[in-house]
Amino acid sequence: MNNITSTYKEANTDVIRNINNEAKDIAANLKIDDRAECMTDRQAFITLKDHKDNFQNKPICRLINPAKSEIGRIKKLLTDSINFAKQYINIPDRDVYIIMQSRKSILFNNGTAWIEKDNGFLDVTMDCYDGAEVCELVGLFILSGLCNTYGKESIGLYRDDGLAVFKNTPGPQAERIRKDIDKHFKNHGQNITIQTNLKIVNYLDVTFNLNNGTFYPYRKPNNQPLCINAKSNHP
């Protein structure tokens, strides 16, 4: 319960009704109202980040919200990201409205609706239908600012994991770069954890070794692969 009350407050039923009515209008305009469902009262739950360091002494949880709109309020960061994308591609106003409406979601716990204390609505729920696209759009916007400073050849981002390589960078300079990148993210209302002066790094499912110029597959501890028989007809 503390995972909810620390950042959420109870919402009234009008909020849910308004979100569903907006989604209904969009679905009708897109002619998909015969198969689009309203937001359901699905219980929120947590998962334990037991792969994190010092988990036994400091357990960390991830709050999962399975309730989402079938169409899917929006922070300034996403608005800025959309405006950034408009410089390169045409995005109709209707699409922008749908993206914004899709961000409206409610967290449910024991039949009670909750909304964020600061923002009123969750932005991107876990496993929402367009979560990956929104994440990549925002990532490109943030990355564009970093590339203007450090060059696109030196820094990259995949969803919420980033990797940067700087040659012949002494410790004090690396620390200044770390602080600058951290400031860049905070200017957009985001927090980031950065490790510097690494010669070997595990990034996504690959380990990169700058000492000998090699790379090889990486798998997180306790992440055992599940094998399926090649002759299986399981879908």
Side-chain angles (χ1 to χ4, degrees):
M1 189 65 182
N2 290 336
N3 288 279
I4 297 177
T5 57
S6 60
T7 54
Y8 296 90
K9 62 182 179 180
E10 290 190 33
N12 58 55
T13 55
D14 290 339
V15 173
I16 306 172
R17 187 182 303 110
N18 291 338
I19 293 176
N20 281 327
N21 286 339
E22 291 177 0
K24 179 181 178 181
D25 292 339
I26 292 175
N29 290 331
L30 296 175
K31 301 185 185 305
I32 59 171
D33 51 321
D34 59 334
R35 52 190 181 277
E37 300 178 359
C38 64
M39 182 184 298
T40 56
D41 180 352
R42 300 180 63 187
Q43 172 69 31
F45 60 93
I46 62 172
T47 58
L48 296 175
K49 296 184 177 181
D50 53 358
H51 62 283
K52 296 293 185 179
D53 295 336
N54 200 31
F55 171 78
Q56 291 181 330
N57 295 311
K58 188 179 179 181
I60 301 176
C61 301
R62 177 187 287 112
L63 182 61
I64 306 297
N65 179 16
K68 49 184 176 288
S69 170
E70 286 288 307
I71 307 298
R73 205 146 221 202
I74 190 169
K75 289 183 178 179
K76 181 178 182 298
L77 176 56
L78 184 51
T79 303
D80 291 342
S81 300
I82 293 174
N83 291 333
F84 163 76
K86 283 183 175 180
Q87 301 177 50
Y88 305 95
I89 188 174
N90 176 48
I91 305 178
D93 291 341
R94 187 189 71 170
D95 291 356
V96 175
Y97 176 73
I98 292 174
I99 294 172
M100 291 182 174
Q101 203 284 336
S102 299
R103 302 283 63 75
K104 296 182 179 181
S105 58
I106 304 294
L107 184 141
F108 293 96
N109 181 54
N110 295 327
T112 302
W114 298 75
I115 59 175
E116 275 195 80
K117 292 179 180 179
D118 296 332
N119 303 307
F121 297 92
L122 296 175
D123 280 341
V124 183
T125 61
M126 183 69 67
D127 198 34
C128 67
Y129 299 112
D130 61 344
E133 290 81 357
V134 171
C135 182
E136 290 178 351
L137 174 61
V138 172
L140 285 172
F141 169 61
I142 294 178
L143 190 61
S144 67
L146 293 173
C147 289
N148 290 336
T149 303
Y150 301 107
K152 62 181 180 180
E153 298 83 6
S154 300
I155 190 167
L157 187 67
Y158 178 80
R159 304 287 165 80
D160 59 349
D161 290 305
L163 183 65
V165 179
F166 299 99
K167 296 181 179 179
N168 302 321
T169 305
Q173 183 179 354
E175 180 62 15
R176 287 193 294 269
I177 293 175
R178 185 194 69 79
K179 290 181 178 180
D180 182 64
I181 295 176
D182 182 70
K183 180 181 178 181
H184 183 77
F185 274 82
K186 286 185 176 179
N187 287 340
H188 294 296
Q190 305 299 304
N191 294 318
I192 185 174
T193 301
I194 304 176
Q195 293 179 289
T196 60
N197 298 321
L198 301 177
K199 298 295 184 180
I200 301 175
V201 61
N202 300 318
Y203 184 68
L204 303 177
D205 57 355
V206 181
T207 295
F208 296 96
N209 189 329
L210 295 180
N211 292 321
N212 53 25
T214 62
F215 61 92
Y216 43 89
Y218 167 74
R219 187 168 63 240
K220 290 182 178 180
N222 302 322
N223 183 14
Q224 299 299 325
L226 299 178
C227 299
I228 300 177
N229 192 296
K231 298 181 180 180
S232 172
N233 62 353
H234 192 283

